[in-house]
Amino acid sequence: PAEEKAQLLQNAEYQETMVESTFMYLTLDLPTAPLYKDEKEQLIIPQVPLFSILAKFNGATEKEYKTYKENFLKRFQLTKLPPYLIFCIKRFTKNNFFVEKNPTIVNFPITNVDLREYLSEEVQAVHTNTTYDLIANIVHDGKPSEGSYRIHVLHHGTGKWYELQDLQVTDILPQMITLSEAYIQIWKRREEDETKQQGA
């Protein structure tokens, strides 16, 4: 409860601390996949919007972390938007016995993902361009131990998407990319002139 939290924050051990750290990629946590089936006994494939799992970085969403010594809450907020962003969608969880894979489909747009709301107001004033377009999408198919990987790549010159698996290269429609079990994504920030052209 809010009152209890406010009271605890008066104690020294519950004081909030802020740490700034660099990142190579942003880890996006998937909600736990449901184990139930629908009326026709078909397994339900859960889906989640990209913006729901990006909420981890809005500066307000808290997540509990546990170590063998202590429990603590963390909030994340972006302080800088680099030219390229890598998202790692956390599909695999490991325990003492086996690795599990979460099959949840992430619904994401291919273009025009605006990350402005994940920046503080001071940082928003500095960043004029906060919009990203997908340029690569790595997919994991199958079981965690014996699955395979595919990659979707945008050919910048033609604007066409291609799917690569081993030595096979095929065309793919952009709308088919969003139906895959995305694992790692690479996003490119739009330059100012590109943003103007999109708006024209």
Side-chain angles (χ1 to χ4, degrees):
E3 305 88 43
E4 192 181 331
K5 185 179 174 183
Q7 210 169 5
L8 287 171
L9 286 172
Q10 303 301 315
N11 302 341
E13 66 173 307
Y14 290 103
Q15 286 303 302
E16 291 188 346
T17 58
M18 191 171 81
V19 178
E20 195 165 308
S21 59
T22 54
F23 62 88
M24 294 288 290
Y25 55 86
L26 298 178
T27 304
L28 305 181
D29 306 309
L30 289 174
T32 308
L35 301 172
Y36 53 84
K37 297 180 179 182
D38 66 8
E39 311 83 55
K40 296 176 184 172
E41 288 298 300
Q42 298 289 314
L43 275 174
I44 291 170
I45 298 172
Q47 298 184 31
V48 62
L50 176 66
F51 294 102
S52 292
I53 55 176
L54 269 173
K56 173 182 178 179
F57 299 98
N58 65 10
T61 304
E62 295 178 332
K63 186 180 177 191
E64 187 176 8
Y65 289 83
K66 295 181 180 185
T67 67
Y68 66 95
K69 281 186 180 177
E70 59 186 354
N71 292 1
F72 49 92
L73 292 173
K74 277 189 178 183
R75 290 194 307 263
F76 299 94
Q77 187 162 37
L78 301 178
T79 57
K80 193 182 280 188
L81 290 177
Y84 294 90
L85 265 178
I86 301 172
F87 293 163
C88 180
I89 297 165
K90 198 174 176 187
R91 291 208 171 271
F92 302 100
T93 49
K94 199 175 186 178
N95 61 28
N96 293 335
F97 306 104
F98 50 85
V99 178
E100 281 186 293
K101 181 184 172 188
N102 187 327
T104 300
I105 298 291
V106 178
N107 296 318
F108 57 92
I110 298 286
T111 59
N112 214 22
V113 170
D114 194 350
L115 300 183
R116 180 168 293 278
E117 67 181 274
Y118 306 103
L119 301 168
S120 64
E121 286 184 21
E122 312 88 76
V123 180
Q124 283 182 18
V126 178
H127 271 286
T128 49
N129 296 335
T130 57
T131 306
Y132 284 79
D133 298 322
L134 187 71
I135 58 168
N137 183 54
I138 299 170
V139 179
H140 183 273
D141 295 313
K143 295 177 183 175
S145 53
E146 54 197 52
S148 60
Y149 292 92
R150 290 178 289 136
I151 184 168
H152 303 125
V153 180
L154 174 67
H155 184 269
H156 191 66
T158 59
K160 285 187 176 179
W161 281 90
Y162 293 93
E163 181 176 277
L164 289 74
Q165 186 168 25
D166 298 326
L167 297 175
Q168 286 188 313
V169 180
T170 52
D171 294 18
I172 187 168
L173 293 169
Q175 49 270 41
M176 298 303 291
I177 295 167
T178 62
L179 303 175
S180 62
E181 290 181 17
Y183 179 39
I184 295 171
Q185 296 183 324
I186 302 172
W187 296 80
K188 181 180 185 291
R189 192 178 67 207
R190 281 191 190 166
E191 298 306 323
E192 203 166 335
D193 55 338
E194 289 177 299
T195 309
K196 283 176 184 169
Q197 284 170 11
Q198 292 285 337

